[in-house]
Amino acid sequence: MAILRILEFPDPRLRTRARPVARVDDRIRRLADDLLETMYAAPGIGLAATQVDVHERVIAVDVSEERNQPLIFVNPEITPLGEERQEYQEGCLSVPGFFETVSRPARIRVRALDREGRPFELEADGLLAVCIQHEVDHLEGRLFVDYLSALKRQRIRAKLEKQRQRA
Ligand code: QAP
Ligand code: CO
């Protein structure tokens, strides 16, 4: 297992649309393990392959208090369940230090493959639903800052670029 380097906004590679995984093999299982290890080390509650510059449709999530409920989704497909929306203060390991309110569908169904390549289905609400939607956005090249005003997004970008100059 390995801790991978996380790309940071506004790195253009974060805008890449990830390709579907054709076959869940040892290479994909290693990627899944590395995503989990990198996420736990950060620490974070979700990480998409896009964020470590691997453009394949794999995400890792663990929203449990004890950090002992790792979830891997390969080729995830989201369907909103109903019209209700929820707001949540989101952050992102690729946008370090910034948390802003985003509105998303409150309940979703996710269909995906697990780390053995078996199809599974899960219904989610609350933080888990927020996190899965946030991570699947990464696979489309979308970031939570895209839901904010252009002014807010530009301010975040300027602050991160300034910080990086100092580092
Ligand atoms: C996505 O994000 C998420 O800025 C996962 O300084 C976040 O794990 C979904 C993190 C919130 C729903 C709600 C961010 C850690 C972690 C930071 C993360 C930071 C330290 C973000
Ligand atoms: Co993120």
Side-chain angles (χ1 to χ4, degrees), residues 39 42-47 88-93 95-99 127 130-131 134-135:
M39 177 188 80
I45 60 172
L47 190 66
Y88 205 93
Q89 284 259 116
E90 295 188 22
C92 181
L93 291 169
V95 192
F98 294 88
F99 291 82
L127 179 57
V130 176
C131 197
H134 174 117
E135 300 312 329

Side-chain angles (χ1 to χ4, degrees), residues 95-109:
V95 192
F98 294 88
F99 291 82
E100 296 286 347
T101 302
V102 175
S103 164
R104 298 183 188 269
R107 294 180 54 80
I108 58 170
R109 175 178 300 123

Side-chain angles (χ1 to χ4, degrees), residues 113-158:
L113 303 177
D114 67 15
R115 49 173 296 135
E116 314 304 332
R118 290 181 299 240
F120 72 104
E121 209 179 278
L122 179 148
E123 287 187 12
D125 59 12
L127 179 57
L128 181 59
V130 176
C131 197
I132 292 169
Q133 292 177 83
H134 174 117
E135 300 312 329
V136 172
D137 270 357
H138 278 298
L139 303 180
E140 294 298 319
R142 270 196 305 269
L143 298 169
F144 84 93
V145 297
D146 299 345
Y147 298 99
L148 310 178
S149 69
L151 179 63
K152 269 193 183 169
R153 187 164 51 252
Q154 178 50 33
R155 280 188 182 146
I156 292 172
R157 180 189 176 124

Side-chain angles (χ1 to χ4, degrees), residues 49-125:
T50 308
Q51 293 176 273
V52 298
D53 204 20
V54 176
H55 302 288
E56 303 194 64
R57 303 185 79 83
V58 182
I59 65 170
V61 170
D62 187 344
V63 300
S64 72
E65 209 72 58
E66 320 267 299
R67 324 274 303 135
N68 60 357
Q69 286 172 53
L71 294 172
I72 291 292
F73 300 85
V74 176
N75 298 343
E77 303 278 355
I78 293 176
T79 314
L81 298 176
E83 297 298 309
E84 194 193 335
R85 299 177 69 86
Q86 67 176 331
E87 293 191 339
Y88 205 93
Q89 284 259 116
E90 295 188 22
C92 181
L93 291 169
S94 294
V95 192
F98 294 88
F99 291 82
E100 296 286 347
T101 302
V102 175
S103 164
R104 298 183 188 269
R107 294 180 54 80
I108 58 170
R109 175 178 300 123
V110 194
R111 287 182 219 271
L113 303 177
D114 67 15
R115 49 173 296 135
E116 314 304 332
R118 290 181 299 240
F120 72 104
E121 209 179 278
L122 179 148
E123 287 187 12
D125 59 12

